[in-house]
């Protein structure tokens, strides 16, 4: 199931079918739905966020109409462009499935390890990686690898850190090291920063003052080493240049994107509340305009989501995350709170919240929280209904 969205990133290039991105997304959605249907049960359990998810799904269709009214994008083009976001429907499909906590934990381990392994293989086969894609980024001082979904690394990092603290088993320590390393291979500043904060949080959690001071010193030492490295200096120089360009010369691309998606690109209050719709890069007027300016919703995460589906849909999604965090959890499941907070932090100026593969991971983790809250499983982790 969990290979669903982003499936192509885990298939070696020599045997990977030549399909368009849209076709890969379609195949991925079919994989997820088929798996869930084979684990189908008759009656779903009720939750406090059903209406929020219902509105989020409805907002997709509302935004298609908004794109037609305000941007002359035909309904069929709008539907094709938006179809991948029907991933939100998997929340209701999961509620009717017999997928249990143990199966999700196995999926987390498999996908996290797969993400690490494919990252290692991609690095070893540079400059033409066998997995994912690569781009030469002189601003970052090296190659920038894109393999699968970063959120699987984030989940496995949170989970393995939590398990390491609870069980003290060395296997989880190695998972922490490798998942943290795989994050840095991407050379994406937001992901590197969030992963560092997650690791520091767990290092400092529940330790004595001496251990905390020692951990902070070790962390600062490692950060200093990375900062003084060639890649670290390149990233710092690029960040300073973007800041200077924004302050004195030309506007930084992310600042321009934020202003466009939250202000200039909004036709009126209705588009701000209900969205402008997901545009087609080639087949719509809006897509051609944004492409000309190299303006992409994934660069500004939350602002991009608001531009697509509106402030109401964004508020509904935030409420879903807030509701999930507020649910009381065992020590073993507390890593999910850290993951959701980290996911939202990544979504501020990165694309987690607008990537369907990332949203699927978030939905799956929320489902995990809900079945834990409702005790919808027996001692062998098989689903059962509350009468």
């Amino acid at each position: 199931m969990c290979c669903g969205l982003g499936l192509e990133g885990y298939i070696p290039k020599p045997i990977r079918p030549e399909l368009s991105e849209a076709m890969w997304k379609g195949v991925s959605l079919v994989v997820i739905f088929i798996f869930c249907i084979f684990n189908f049960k008759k009656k779903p359990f009720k939750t406090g966020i059903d209406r929020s998810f219902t509105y989020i799904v409805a907002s997709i269709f509302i935004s298609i109409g908004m794109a037609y009214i305000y941007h002359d994008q035909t309904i069929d083009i709008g539907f094709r462009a938006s179809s991948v976001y029907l991933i939100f429907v998997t929340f209701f499909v999961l509620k009717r499935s017999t997928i249990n906590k143990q199966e999700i934990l196995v999926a987390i381990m498999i996908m996290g390890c797969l993400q690490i392994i494919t990252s290692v293989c991609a690095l070893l086969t540079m400059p033409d990686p066998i997995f994912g894609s690569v781009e030469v980024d002189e601003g970052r001082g090296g190659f920038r690898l894109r393999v699968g979904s970063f959120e699987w690394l984030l989940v496995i990092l949170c989970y393995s850190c939590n398990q390491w603290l609870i069980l003290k088993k060395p296997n989880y320590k190695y998972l922490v090291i490798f998942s943290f390393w795989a994050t840095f291979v991407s050379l994406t500043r937001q992901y590197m920063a969030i992963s560092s904060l997650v690791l520091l949080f767990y290092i400092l959690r529940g330790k004595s003052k001496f251990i905390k001071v020692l951990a902070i010193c070790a962390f600062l030492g490692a950060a200093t080493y990375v900062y003084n490295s060639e890649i670290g200096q390149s990233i710092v120089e690029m960040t300073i240049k973007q800041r200077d360009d924004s302050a004195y010369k030309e506007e930084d691309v992310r600042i321009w994107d934020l202003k466009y998606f939250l202000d200039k690109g909004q036709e009126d209050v209705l588009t701000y509340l209900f969205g402008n719709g997901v545009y087609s890069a080639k087949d719509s007027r809006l897509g051609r305009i944004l492409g000309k300016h190299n303006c992409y919703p994934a660069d500004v995460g939350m602002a991009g989501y608001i531009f697509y589906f509106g402030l109401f849909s964004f508020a509904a999604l935030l409420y879903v995350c807030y509701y999930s965090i507020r649910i009381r959890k065992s020590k073993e499941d507390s890593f999910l709170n850290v993951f959701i907070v980290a996911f939202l932090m990544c979504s501020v100026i990165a694309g987690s919240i607008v990537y369907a593969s990332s949203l699927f991971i978030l939905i799956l983790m929320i489902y995990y929280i809900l079945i834990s809250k409702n005790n919808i499983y027996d001692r062998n982790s098989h689903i059962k209904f509350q009468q």
Side-chain angles (χ1 to χ4, degrees):
M1 174 189 65
C2 296
C3 285
L5 287 163
L7 180 69
E8 69 279 13
Y10 303 107
I11 300 177
K13 286 182 180 178
I15 62 172
R16 187 187 306 168
E18 292 295 329
L19 300 178
S20 67
E21 182 179 355
M23 292 180 70
W24 270 116
K25 290 177 179 177
V27 170
S28 299
L29 284 171
V30 170
V31 169
I32 292 173
F33 283 122
I34 288 177
F35 185 91
C36 292
I37 288 171
F38 274 103
N39 290 273
F40 192 75
K41 66 187 179 188
K42 292 183 179 179
K43 182 181 178 182
F45 58 94
K46 294 183 179 180
T47 75
I49 51 177
D50 290 351
R51 290 182 179 178
S52 296
F53 268 108
T54 300
Y55 179 76
I56 291 171
V57 173
S59 71
I60 298 171
F61 296 97
I62 293 172
S63 70
I64 293 173
M66 298 295 285
Y68 173 75
I69 295 170
Y70 285 92
H71 302 293
D72 298 324
Q73 180 169 274
T74 61
I75 298 295
D76 62 316
I77 290 176
F79 183 79
R80 289 202 303 269
S82 305
S83 59
V84 69
Y85 290 101
L86 292 177
I87 193 65
F88 283 111
V89 175
T90 57
F91 171 76
F92 300 101
V93 179
L94 283 168
K95 282 178 46 180
R96 287 183 173 272
S97 75
T98 57
I99 299 169
N100 57 55
K101 283 179 60 176
Q102 191 59 38
E103 290 172 335
I104 296 175
L105 288 175
V106 170
I108 290 173
M109 293 298 294
I110 291 174
M111 293 305 300
C113 292
L114 183 61
Q115 185 77 27
I116 293 170
I117 292 170
T118 51
S119 296
V120 172
C121 292
L123 192 63
L124 292 176
T125 54
M126 291 291 287
D128 185 22
I130 193 171
F131 292 103
S133 60
V134 64
E135 61 180 89
V136 179
D137 196 331
E138 295 179 357
R140 288 174 168 82
F143 293 98
R144 195 177 185 187
L145 281 173
R146 300 180 184 276
V147 182
S149 297
F150 160 76
E151 284 68 27
W152 285 121
L153 289 177
L154 186 58
V155 173
I156 196 67
L157 178 63
C158 296
Y159 175 73
S160 53
C161 282
N162 193 58
Q163 292 298 102
W164 183 21
L165 288 179
I166 295 172
L167 302 177
K168 309 297 183 183
K169 290 185 177 180
N171 291 345
Y172 291 110
K173 178 175 67 177
Y174 300 136
L175 272 177
V176 171
I177 293 171
F178 284 116
S179 58
F180 189 67
W181 168 83
T183 300
F184 272 74
V185 170
S186 70
L187 294 183
T188 302
R189 288 167 293 178
Q190 296 83 4
Y191 295 158
M192 293 164 67
I194 298 302
S195 296
S196 299
L197 289 175
V198 168
L199 185 60
L200 183 61
F201 168 79
Y202 277 108
I203 288 175
L204 298 179
R205 189 178 178 186
K207 299 293 183 180
S208 66
K209 289 184 179 180
F210 174 76
I211 296 296
K212 288 181 178 181
V213 172
L214 193 64
I216 291 175
C217 291
F219 190 85
L220 291 176
T224 302
Y225 174 79
V226 173
Y227 176 84
N228 290 321
S229 67
E230 182 179 347
I231 291 178
Q233 284 296 302
S234 297
I235 293 176
V236 170
E237 289 173 4
M238 181 177 66
T239 303
I240 294 173
K241 181 179 181 299
Q242 289 179 342
R243 183 199 64 188
D244 292 342
D245 287 346
S246 178
Y248 305 111
K249 301 175 186 178
E250 56 187 39
E251 201 166 42
D252 176 63
V253 62
R254 278 190 169 85
I255 301 298
W256 195 95
D257 289 354
L258 279 171
K259 289 182 178 179
Y260 184 85
F261 290 130
L262 295 179
D263 184 19
K264 297 177 182 177
Q266 300 290 350
E267 299 290 334
D268 56 33
V269 68
L270 289 179
T271 59
Y272 193 75
L273 295 177
F274 298 105
N276 294 269
V278 182
Y279 60 86
S280 171
K282 296 181 179 179
D283 299 325
S284 70
R285 176 179 60 84
L286 182 59
R288 288 188 290 271
I289 292 173
L290 295 179
K292 182 180 179 181
H293 292 282
N294 293 320
C295 184
Y296 304 105
D299 286 340
V300 285
M302 292 180 177
Y305 185 94
I306 292 171
F307 182 81
Y308 278 164
F309 305 117
L311 191 60
F312 286 156
S313 181
F314 177 66
L317 186 56
L318 281 186
Y319 175 75
V320 165
C321 294
Y322 170 76
Y323 179 92
S324 302
I325 291 172
R326 286 293 304 273
I327 291 175
R328 199 169 189 177
K329 303 172 185 68
S330 65
K331 287 184 179 179
E332 291 77 11
D333 294 340
S334 62
F335 76 95
L336 292 164
N337 285 348
V338 180
F339 167 74
I340 293 175
V341 171
F343 181 94
L344 293 175
M345 292 173 68
C346 287
S347 299
V348 176
I349 52 174
S352 296
I353 202 172
V354 295
Y355 291 141
S357 55
S358 304
L359 289 169
F360 171 66
I361 299 169
L362 177 66
I363 293 167
L364 188 64
M365 296 305 109
I366 289 172
Y367 170 74
Y368 180 106
I369 293 171
L370 293 174
I371 60 176
S372 300
K373 171 180 180 281
N374 291 281
N375 294 319
I376 310 175
Y377 54 91
D378 60 21
R379 292 179 182 178
N380 295 318
S381 295
H382 295 300
I383 296 290
K384 68 179 182 181
F385 293 106
Q386 287 183 321
Q387 302 296 331

